[in-house]
Amino acid sequence: MTITFDSLLSEITDPNGREILDPATGEVVGKARFEGVEVLDAAIARAKAAQPAWAACSDEDRAGLLLQAADAIDAATEPLAELLSREQGKPLNGPNARFEVGACATWLRATATTELPVQVLLDGDEGSAEMYYRPLGVVGAIGPWNWPMMITVWQIAPALRMGNTTVVKPSEYTPLSVLALVAVINSVLPENVLTVVAGEGDLGARLSSHPDIDKLMFTGSTRTGQSIIKSSADTIKRLTLELGGNDAGIVLPDVDPKAIAEELFWGAFINTGQTCAALKRLYVHTDVYDEVCTELAAVARSMPMGRGLDENNVLGPLQNKAQYDIVANLVERARESGATILVGGTPDADAPGHFYPTTLVSNIAPDNALVTEEQFGPALPIIRYETVDEAIELANGLDVGLGASVWSSDRDAARKIAARIQAGTVWINKHGGIHPMVPFGGVKMSGYGLEFGVEGLKSVSAPQVISG
């Protein structure tokens, strides 16, 4: 049966549920049923009861079902992308809605085909010892509103592959996307192996304290991550936390500004800047500062912003009014400080939706709030520096460390600088690129734990040594 947007929406919409609005127009996208803690508790109980049978399936069988789930997502790409665009705001084209849905299938396939063999630790006169990785039990997953489908798959795919059952709590801003994604995946999975319960923040708090949740995966703010750490302490729950970022980029004086301008732009403005590992503060050497600003501004002016269902647009609105206000306030404070607004900075107050124009800010002090606070939107501060040591000190000066980048025509020199930057990932001549086989995670207040690849499988498993 062909899945259409209307059929998909009707499957997940509750006539008595909460209205979810399109951030581009304010129109109602659908209605999501928001549940209470008692419904979540019942879902966890069902997941716990289903877990032994799921763990008893062969690894080959579980991997095969994940591959079938990827095929099911492929078959539903267009309705899933349309729903995502309407609910989250991101355009269909560019590195946006269709890209995100495609990434869900890609990550499922990569996770299904990643091998985690038994590790032989000793095998000789001293004896034998082997390391196995066993299921933990029930894994809870709390996702964000910026990449709601893709990040949910990052969380659930390795958990399911390793024999855990999972309970998902989506963001209250983007529940429909995750409800639809789970409905598609569940068309091939056994009952109660994967469950989604939409609701308010009290559900997340319950997941982090519930004694039958053995592992919790969370992507979101550092403040919420701190609360999760505290509330999970009594049950000594395993955690993977991907928290706030404020990624730095360092541009060396040997670059060709025109050649790197578009990569710089997408490093900062992918998903209209609403990405944890986006480039959020750009340090440029004084020798190329003006030219980098000029070339980056030219790219920014060429990128169309508007409603996501318009095939021509590649930038969309901010997903919610609260985030819009954060961006607008930070840019206004930068303007008042004497910084130069190169592009943007003046939203149309009468236009519908949460659109904030693509904004570049130059001649800004390193301690300005737009630099030191994560804006999480389409506004990039460009800071001038004189020496590489100064740039590294500024890049490392904040309490976050998710990603960073170095831009140079000399790759060896860039790698040496990268080694001095305090971040979980440092990219060379790009920013934010991820791969399902390359581990990803932050340092400092950006969280702990790794996702993706072999390390991602290990993170949702209990290591067991058999020695004899």
Side-chain angles (χ1 to χ4, degrees), residues 102-121:
C104 292
T106 296
W107 250 263
L108 278 167
R109 292 191 176 101
T111 304
T113 54
T114 298
E115 295 184 0
L116 182 55
V118 175
Q119 184 179 354
V120 178
L121 306 173

Side-chain angles (χ1 to χ4, degrees), residues 31-309:
K31 295 183 178 181
R33 183 179 180 87
F34 275 35
E35 306 285 9
V37 169
E38 67 285 350
V39 173
L40 177 66
D41 286 348
I44 294 171
R46 294 193 302 272
K48 183 178 181 180
Q51 193 273 328
W54 178 244
C57 293
S58 70
D59 181 64
E60 182 180 6
D61 286 345
R62 289 196 301 270
L65 286 170
L66 292 186
L67 292 174
Q68 290 181 44
D71 292 341
I73 290 172
D74 283 342
T77 291
E78 280 304 301
L80 284 172
E82 181 178 345
L83 177 58
L84 178 62
S85 181
R86 289 185 176 186
E87 181 181 51
Q88 200 281 334
K90 64 184 66 182
L92 292 170
N93 289 325
N96 291 299
R98 291 189 180 112
F99 168 86
E100 180 169 349
V101 175
C104 292
T106 296
W107 250 263
L108 278 167
R109 292 191 176 101
T111 304
T113 54
T114 298
E115 295 184 0
L116 182 55
V118 175
Q119 184 179 354
V120 178
L121 306 173
L122 287 176
D123 185 18
D125 295 340
E126 295 177 298
S128 66
E130 296 175 334
M131 176 86 81
Y132 294 82
Y133 289 89
R134 311 298 192 192
L136 290 167
V138 182
V139 173
I142 304 175
W145 49 258
N146 57 333
W147 295 91
M149 291 183 180
M150 185 174 70
I151 291 178
T152 293
V153 168
W154 290 358
Q155 296 170 332
I156 67 175
L160 295 173
R161 168 68 191 283
M162 296 308 296
N164 306 286
T165 52
T166 61
V167 179
V168 176
K169 189 272 176 191
S171 167
E172 51 266 43
Y173 289 114
T174 52
L176 295 173
S177 297
V178 178
L179 288 166
L181 175 71
V182 170
V184 171
I185 294 174
N186 273 340
S187 67
V188 304
L189 292 182
E191 191 174 8
N192 296 320
V193 166
L194 170 62
T195 308
V196 56
V197 183
E200 298 283 5
D202 59 335
L203 298 191
R206 179 60 174 160
L207 274 174
S208 63
S209 63
H210 198 291
D212 290 333
I213 294 293
D214 301 285
K215 161 92 184 197
L216 188 63
M217 304 185 75
F218 171 73
T219 297
S221 71
T222 297
R223 179 177 296 178
T224 303
Q226 290 170 322
S227 297
I228 287 172
I229 293 169
K230 294 173 183 176
S231 61
S232 68
D234 287 345
T235 55
I236 315 180
K237 211 178 299 301
R238 290 166 171 81
L239 301 173
T240 295
L241 303 174
E242 197 246 89
L243 307 179
N246 193 349
D247 288 12
I250 298 176
V251 177
L252 301 185
D254 61 0
V255 300
D256 176 348
K258 187 176 183 65
I260 67 170
E262 189 160 340
E263 285 282 357
L264 280 173
F265 177 85
W266 283 117
F269 292 99
I270 185 171
N271 197 27
T272 316
Q274 299 165 108
T275 298
C276 296
L279 173 58
K280 298 190 175 78
R281 46 193 176 111
L282 183 62
Y283 300 96
V284 180
H285 192 274
T286 188
D287 289 353
V288 290
Y289 184 87
D290 291 339
E291 194 174 355
V292 167
C293 287
T294 297
E295 297 296 342
L296 193 51
V299 173
R301 292 188 184 99
S302 73
M303 296 295 178
M305 175 183 286
R307 191 181 184 196
L309 297 183

Side-chain angles (χ1 to χ4, degrees), residues 246 280-281 283 364-373 381 383 398:
N246 193 349
K280 298 190 175 78
R281 46 193 176 111
Y283 300 96
I364 186 169
D367 60 353
N368 189 280
L370 183 60
V371 179
T372 61
E373 299 177 21
I383 306 99
L398 302 184

Side-chain angles (χ1 to χ4, degrees), residues 367-438:
D367 60 353
N368 189 280
L370 183 60
V371 179
T372 61
E373 299 177 21
E374 184 181 23
Q375 69 276 49
F376 214 73
L380 178 68
I382 309 172
I383 306 99
R384 188 189 302 266
Y385 75 88
E386 300 282 345
T387 68
V388 170
D389 286 344
E390 175 193 0
I392 294 172
E393 182 179 358
L394 290 170
N396 291 339
L398 302 184
D399 60 2
V400 290
L402 189 57
S405 56
V406 182
W407 304 75
S408 172
S409 61
D410 185 338
R411 186 168 293 274
D412 289 337
R415 286 180 176 273
K416 291 178 181 178
I417 294 170
R420 299 172 59 190
I421 296 177
Q422 298 164 1
T425 300
V426 183
W427 293 277
I428 306 297
N429 294 329
K430 59 182 179 179
H431 196 110
I434 52 175
H435 189 283
M437 296 307 298
V438 179

